[in-house]
Each structure stands twice: as C-alpha cells, then as structure tokens.
Amino acid sequence: MTRISSARRPRARRAVGRTLLASALLAAAVAVPAAAAAPREATAAAVHDEVATQESRLVDHFYGAYTDAVAAEDGGSLAAALRGFYLTPALSAELDDWEAANHADGVLRAQDVPAAYRVTAGDSGAGHTWSVVRLTWGSPANPTYTYLSVRSDLATGKISGIRE
C-alpha cells in the first residue's frame, strides 16, 4: 500500500477547496441573474428601490467572490472567470488598459486585496444603476478606505463601469 506523504496532502486539499469554491461561486452566479429576471409588480417608487437593491446585491456578490478569488490565487483563473461572467466585454477591455498603465488590479484599483468591502445601493436612471463600493485597507484598529462608483446595466445585470 502506498502512502501519500504529508507534504503533498495540503496542496491537494487546496486544489480541491479551490475547485469546490469555484464551482459554488459560478453556480451561485448563474442563479442570481435568473432571480433578477423575475417579473416585478409594485409601485414606481418600490420598483426603483427594488432594482437598486437587486443590482447592488449583484455588485456585492461579485466583489465578495472576486476578493476571495484574488486572495486565494492571486488573480488566477477563478478571478478571470468571475470577471468574464459579471463584467461587460467593454469594461473588461477598459480594465485591461487601466491595469497595463497602472500595474494594479483594475477592479480593486490597487495592488493588494482589501481587508473588507461594503456595497451601498445608489441611484438608477437611463438604464443603469450605481453602487458605491467601500474598500477597507489596513488593520481593524486603524482602517483606511477607498471608494469606487460601480455602474451596472439594468437590462443585463452586468457591471459596466468602475470609477474612483
């Protein structure tokens, strides 16, 4: 009987863990847009609030999964898959240009991974909705924050713009 050395077990567990994480995130990502396509029945004000909340939830799901993926595999295949699913092709191309010029991650606008993030719903209009993403950096005792304005298309639910 052949024994696997203990040095090889953690790598196998990490690979299995990453595969399970990627599968779960992509399965959840497929389910979210299906729920987003459900018909809405409410007053105009309630519909406005529901759309903003719904789209900001998609932004929240993306940033949660993306920060985990970047932290786990330093921007590997899972982060690329998440970007391909959640971002419009035009934004992906824009981020590629930004990253080449700035040598940093365009989604996070930084070279590091934040310690935490928070998404707040914003206004909607002209087929888009905006969310504010607050990225938390540093220690909990002395945090610093950066803010991003994230635009989503209401028709597709995809993220179409990220601005500082």
Side-chain angles (χ1 to χ4, degrees), residues 32-38 40 51-52 54-55 58 86 88 124-129 151-160:
V32 170
R40 298 181 191 102
V51 170
Q54 177 180 327
E55 297 303 325
L58 290 172
Y86 281 97
T88 62
S124 295
H128 298 96
T129 188
R151 183 183 68 206
S152 300
D153 291 340
L154 292 174
T156 64
K158 296 210 179 250
I159 296 171
S160 59

Side-chain angles (χ1 to χ4, degrees), residues 18 68-80:
R18 286 183 186 158
D68 287 347
V70 172
E73 56 181 31
D74 196 27
S77 59
L78 178 55

Side-chain angles (χ1 to χ4, degrees), residues 3-153:
R3 295 187 78 186
I4 298 174
S5 74
S6 60
R8 295 173 70 190
R9 285 187 202 144
R11 183 177 293 172
R13 286 184 186 145
R14 272 187 262 144
V16 169
R18 286 183 186 158
T19 303
L20 290 173
L21 174 64
S23 299
L25 290 173
L26 290 176
V30 170
V32 170
R40 298 181 191 102
E41 298 177 24
T43 64
V47 169
H48 173 76
D49 292 343
E50 181 181 321
V51 170
T53 301
Q54 177 180 327
E55 297 303 325
S56 64
R57 270 189 251 139
L58 290 172
V59 172
D60 183 63
H61 291 173
F62 170 68
Y63 270 88
Y66 188 78
T67 55
D68 287 347
V70 172
E73 56 181 31
D74 196 27
S77 59
L78 178 55
L82 290 165
R83 286 173 83 154
F85 183 81
Y86 281 97
L87 308 180
T88 62
L91 177 58
S92 292
E94 182 182 316
L95 290 176
D96 289 343
D97 293 342
W98 189 94
E99 290 169 346
N102 294 283
H103 307 289
D105 187 299
V107 170
L108 302 172
R109 298 292 203 242
Q111 293 179 336
D112 296 322
V113 180
Y117 73 97
R118 183 178 75 192
V119 175
T120 305
D123 292 328
S124 295
H128 298 96
T129 188
W130 287 262
S131 301
V132 175
V133 176
R134 182 183 81 175
L135 301 174
T136 305
W137 306 94
S139 69
N142 191 18
T144 58
Y145 306 103
T146 57
Y147 295 87
L148 303 173
S149 178
V150 178
R151 183 183 68 206
S152 300
D153 291 340

